[in-house]
Amino acid sequence: MQRASISQWTLAYFGCSLAVFLAALGLIAAGFGYPADALAGPRTLIVVHMLAIGWLTLLMFGAMFQFLPVLVGRDLVWPRLPPVALLLIATGLVVMLTGFAGLDGMIDLPAQLLPTGGLLLLCGFSTAAAVLMATLLQGQSLPLPACFVAVALLSVLLTALVGESLASALTGVFGGDFALALVTHGIPLHAGLGLGGWLTFAAMGVSYRLVSMFLVAPERGGRLPQIAFWSGVLGGAGLGGAFAILLARNMPAPPAVTFAALAGFASVGAYLGDIITLYRSRRRKALELHMRAAIAAFSMLGLAALVLVIAAAAGSERGVVAGVYILVLGWLSGLSLAMLFKIIPFLTWLECFAPVMGRTPTPRVQDLVCERRALPIFAGYFIAVLVGATGLFMEEPHLLRVAAAAQLIVAILLSDEFRKARRLHHLPAEWTNWKKPRLFLPTTPSRMLP
């Protein structure tokens, strides 16, 4: 690994995102939002934004603050800004969710909080993106995974701009034909840019680096990663074009959306094909648990893409909802949980043992976790995702609630495994009295990775 500073705020991002993830699963298990509420209703949007922003976006930014400097071989630019971005995003999310609750009549607060929260989120995303883009631009080179991240950062800003426009239209800040067209046709574009252009594209870029590093596999080159990247860029351009037409003519552009969907499907296909090649070319033959769990997440991406294409072609709303559920909770959330199972012990090991390496015996990173106990937890999580998607497709809300409750239980169990890794719980007795790091807040100045 190249030299880089440990990001002091990455674990704070992880802690906040896990808390929101557990809360969102709890709401789904309680029957809050779709299908009891409308698909675009305020309660459904509360759950959706908790998952997309509070869970996945915070997690992604936290991971990028740590690993983007490794990608480009430079220290993080403006290291004092990540906590500012975290505060803005967390505050913006709370204010925006309060606005949705006011829009629904759950609380007696003005719905105008919705665009205020969106503005705070836009400021938070811009701050985080500025730090990451400046770090990218100061890199000695721009490897392909970094190109994925650059496109993803542009997408998150565009997603936030579209979302802020939607929030303003929904709360009557502006009206007329444009507002009506935006509310009627803009939500799918907003969701496509967020889930595809931002979260999935960023996950692809980060995973390219992490998978090759954890498998001890050579960096990928050749046609497949290029196809994955450029097809994804074309897909994002298609969504951007559809939004531009919506702005100019107050009408949807189905051909542009269809083009974006086909390009996105091609990007996913090339990416998954390349990931298979990465696994086959690995030098570390024995797979650790996080890389076995990642296989399930990659499979969920392929399944979600297939379900979404078939459902869209058939005009099946419940098929699209089931596909999005697999995409968000199977692919993005499953991959995130799998990577956290390695990243948190890895950062803990660096913080506790890297400074004394070579001067005293140290444990291995994998000694900080118990794979035997975590294996059935990961299996239970992915099975529950499939059950939940089946419940959505069959319009069986009770099945969805049972599946969400199961996901909540296994997510709590995994969070406890992360806590135990930070507390050095699984280490043999000779390290029982070793100084333990704080769970999520920074406690030490930046150290240099070996």
Side-chain angles (χ1 to χ4, degrees), residues 91-408:
T91 306
L93 180 61
V94 171
V95 173
M96 189 181 68
L97 297 183
T98 304
F100 278 127
L103 193 64
D104 187 67
M106 285 187 286
I107 56 175
D108 188 20
L109 285 174
Q112 280 69 25
L113 287 172
L114 196 56
T116 304
L119 190 60
L120 286 169
L121 284 171
L122 183 58
C123 293
F125 293 163
S126 300
T127 303
V131 172
L132 295 167
M133 286 296 285
T135 305
L136 275 175
L137 294 175
Q138 291 199 4
Q140 297 168 346
S141 61
L142 202 61
L144 190 62
C147 295
F148 275 90
V149 171
V151 173
L153 291 174
L154 295 176
S155 295
V156 72
L157 296 180
L158 183 56
T159 304
L161 282 171
V162 176
E164 176 65 2
S165 302
L166 276 167
S168 299
L170 279 171
T171 53
V173 174
F174 60 84
D177 292 340
F178 170 64
L180 179 61
L182 188 62
V183 173
T184 306
H185 305 295
I187 293 177
L189 299 179
H190 176 58
L193 284 167
L195 295 178
W198 159 230
L199 290 170
T200 292
F201 222 54
M204 291 165 113
V206 173
S207 64
Y208 258 128
R209 182 68 183 93
L210 291 182
V211 170
S212 61
M213 182 175 73
F214 291 146
L215 293 178
V216 194
E219 297 284 346
R220 293 295 300 143
R223 291 183 180 177
L224 273 181
Q226 294 290 339
I227 292 173
F229 175 72
W230 287 110
S231 298
V233 170
L234 288 175
L239 288 177
F243 184 66
I245 293 171
L246 184 63
L247 286 177
R249 299 184 178 180
N250 295 342
M251 58 186 294
V257 175
T258 301
F259 173 79
L262 292 175
F265 191 69
S267 176
V268 168
Y271 168 74
L272 290 177
D274 210 32
I275 288 294
I276 292 173
T277 306
L278 257 177
Y279 269 80
R280 287 178 174 171
S281 63
R282 71 184 189 275
R283 299 190 186 97
R284 177 173 290 163
K285 295 305 177 186
L287 288 176
E288 295 179 55
L289 178 58
H290 67 287
M291 294 313 302
R292 282 183 278 165
I295 293 175
F298 294 132
S299 303
M300 291 284 181
L301 174 60
L303 177 62
L306 195 60
V307 170
L308 285 172
V309 167
I310 294 174
S316 170
E317 181 182 281
R318 60 182 183 174
V320 171
V321 172
V324 170
Y325 189 86
I326 298 171
L327 186 76
V328 172
L329 291 166
W331 152 240
L332 292 168
S333 301
L335 184 69
S336 299
L337 291 171
M339 291 300 110
L340 283 178
F341 192 73
K342 183 68 176 182
I343 293 172
I344 289 178
F346 181 61
L347 295 178
T348 303
W349 187 94
L350 287 173
E351 190 174 345
C352 293
F353 300 107
V356 299
M357 190 177 180
R359 289 182 282 148
T360 185
T362 57
R364 303 171 304 165
V365 174
Q366 53 266 45
D367 292 332
L368 273 67
V369 294
C370 179
E371 292 195 353
R372 176 181 51 79
R373 190 160 61 189
L375 175 60
I377 300 177
F378 275 111
Y381 179 82
F382 287 107
I383 291 171
V385 169
L386 293 177
V387 173
T390 304
L392 284 168
F393 183 74
M394 296 178 65
E395 297 182 330
E396 292 286 349
H398 297 299
L399 195 59
L400 172 65
R401 293 178 62 179
V402 169
Q407 286 176 263
L408 175 61

Side-chain angles (χ1 to χ4, degrees), residues 8 351 435 441-447:
Q8 294 189 54
E351 190 174 345
K435 185 178 179 181
L441 293 177
T443 56
T444 59
S446 295
R447 297 171 180 164

Side-chain angles (χ1 to χ4, degrees), residues 382-433:
F382 287 107
I383 291 171
V385 169
L386 293 177
V387 173
T390 304
L392 284 168
F393 183 74
M394 296 178 65
E395 297 182 330
E396 292 286 349
H398 297 299
L399 195 59
L400 172 65
R401 293 178 62 179
V402 169
Q407 286 176 263
L408 175 61
I409 291 171
V410 298
I412 290 173
L413 293 174
L414 280 175
S415 299
D416 189 50
E417 289 299 310
F418 303 151
R419 180 191 65 82
K420 288 177 177 175
R422 292 291 290 166
R423 307 311 296 167
L424 311 181
H425 177 85
H426 295 298
L427 288 185
E430 57 262 38
W431 286 288
T432 301
N433 295 323

